[in-house]
Amino acid sequence: MTVVFALRGVQARLGTRRPVAALRDIDLCVRAGERVALVGANGSGKSTLLRVLMGLVPVQGHLERADVRAAMVFQRPYLMRLSARHNVAVALWVQGRRWSQACAAAREALARVGLVALADRPARALSGGQQQRLALARAWAQRPDVWLLDEPTASLDPQARQEVEALIAAFAAETGATVVFSSHHLGQVRRLATRVVYLDGGRIAADLPVEAFFDLGRLAQASPSAHAFVREELPWVG
Ligand SMILES: Nc1ncnc2c1ncn2[C@@H]1O[C@H](COP(=O)(O)OP(=O)(O)OP(=O)(O)O)[C@@H](O)[C@H]1O
C-alpha cells in the first residue's frame, strides 16, 4: 500500500518567546486507506501532529508526504461571514473552479451532509453540529484523498456527534480515503479507527491496531501510560 506520510525523528517546537517541544522523536508511517486515531491527554500533541501532517507547522527531522489532496477540518471550523452554500462555493472558486461550477458542487456537497434546507442561512448562525457538517461538506467538495480531522465532534451533543461520525465513516467507506483524526471519545475511536496512536508528552507511547489497543492486557504490555489512560476513561472495561 502507498505510504501517505512517513515521519522519522520528527520534532516540532511551538511558540516564539518560550518555545515548547510539542512533538518529540515522532516515527510514524501512515498508508493509504488507514484510519488512524490520535488519542492522549490534553496537550499531548494530537493537534500539532495533525497540523504537521497538513504541512502547517515547520518541523525538524524527516517528513515525507505523498502527492495527495489533503483536507483538514478543525474542532471549531473557520467559517466566513457568508451563507452556508457560499462558504463551500468560495472555497472551490479560490481553488480555480468557475463560479457556476463551484455553486453546483456546493449544492451537491450540502445535499450530501443534509444541509440543503439551510443553504442560504448565514454559516455563523448555524448550530455547532450544523457548522461541523458544513465544514465536512466544504472538505468533501474537494474530494480529498486524505482527511485530517482535529476533534471533529468535540463539544457536540450526542445526536450531532453521531451525525458527524456517520458522515466521516461514510466518506471513508465510499472513497477508501485515508483518515487521521484526534478524539477524546474512545467509543468513537473504536468505531472509526483501524489503528490507534497514543501520544504522551509529545511522544508516541503506543501505536497499535484498534483491536490490540482495546485489549487491555496487550495495551498494558505495550504502554503502561496508554493502559492507565484507557482505564481512566473506561473504568468499567476489563
Ligand atoms: N501556538 C502555540 N505556542 C506554544 N505552545 C503551543 C502552541 N500550540 C500548542 N502548544 C503546546 O504544544 C503542546 C501540544 O499541544 P496540542 O494542541 O498539539 O495538544 P493536544 O493533544 O491537541 O491537546 P488537546 O487535547 O487539549 O486539544 C502543548 O504543550 C501546548 O501547550
Side-chain angles (χ1 to χ4, degrees), residues 189-208:
V189 166
R190 196 167 194 161
R191 287 187 291 275
L192 284 182
T194 54
R195 172 180 169 195
V196 185
V197 170
Y198 172 78
L199 288 158
D200 185 5
R203 295 179 197 275
I204 294 180
D207 181 353
L208 294 167

Side-chain angles (χ1 to χ4, degrees), residues 14-16 18-23 40-49 75 150-151 182 184 199:
L14 299 179
T16 41
R18 282 190 170 185
V20 171
L23 294 177
N42 292 132
S44 57
K46 304 179 296 293
S47 301
T48 306
L49 182 50
Q75 180 180 342
D150 193 3
E151 295 189 43
S182 61
H184 284 284
L199 288 158

Side-chain angles (χ1 to χ4, degrees), residues 123-165:
R124 293 185 181 182
L126 298 176
S127 72
Q130 290 162 347
Q131 290 194 1
Q132 200 54 282
R133 273 152 62 204
L134 175 56
L136 288 171
R138 187 168 60 185
W140 182 78
Q142 298 163 43
R143 299 296 188 277
D145 308 300
V146 179
W147 290 81
L148 300 170
L149 307 167
D150 193 3
E151 295 189 43
T153 62
S155 69
L156 300 186
D157 68 34
Q159 193 193 331
R161 189 164 76 218
Q162 266 179 15
E163 288 168 359
V164 168
E165 193 183 308

Side-chain angles (χ1 to χ4, degrees), residues 186-187 190 216 230-238:
L186 292 181
R190 196 167 194 161
L216 292 193
V230 174
R231 284 303 299 270
E232 178 69 25
E233 296 288 315
L234 306 174
W236 56 89
V237 173

